[in-house]
Amino acid sequence: MDIKIIASVFAGAVLFFTFLYAVKKSRKPFKRAVTSALSGILALVAVNAAGLFTGVYIPVSILSICISAAGGIPAVTVMLIIDTFFR
């Protein structure tokens, strides 16, 4: 995977969440957006690290990184459920 694509996806997700939090008039929208995107990516990493022991993992691709950055922890959970049930 190209690091430029991953960085642009992360930046896009952060900008998207910043816009959403700003529209909701949230406090510190940029900080909340970065936290949300990072938590999704870290959840994807944690699932794949635990996959060494459990045998369940989510293949890492541009699409899975985009979904995890845009949707956060709930998106990673949904991807894990879909991967588990539709194997």
Side-chain angles (χ1 to χ4, degrees):
M1 267 186 277
D2 190 16
I3 192 72
K4 291 178 186 177
I5 294 172
I6 294 171
S8 64
V9 166
F10 183 76
V14 166
L15 289 175
F16 175 72
F17 279 121
T18 302
F19 175 74
L20 285 180
Y21 290 134
V23 167
K24 289 174 44 178
K25 300 186 191 244
S26 173
R27 287 185 176 182
K28 301 180 183 177
F30 185 74
K31 181 180 177 183
R32 291 196 60 189
V34 169
T35 304
S36 178
L38 277 178
S39 68
I41 291 174
L42 289 176
L44 181 66
V45 170
V47 165
N48 286 331
L52 296 172
F53 303 108
T54 63
V56 178
Y57 65 95
I58 301 171
V60 177
S61 66
I62 296 297
L63 181 62
S64 65
I65 292 172
C66 289
I67 292 171
S68 64
I73 295 174
V76 174
T77 305
V78 168
M79 286 192 300
L80 186 62
I81 290 170
I82 290 172
D83 185 56
T84 302
F85 286 125
F86 295 109
R87 229 177 230 208

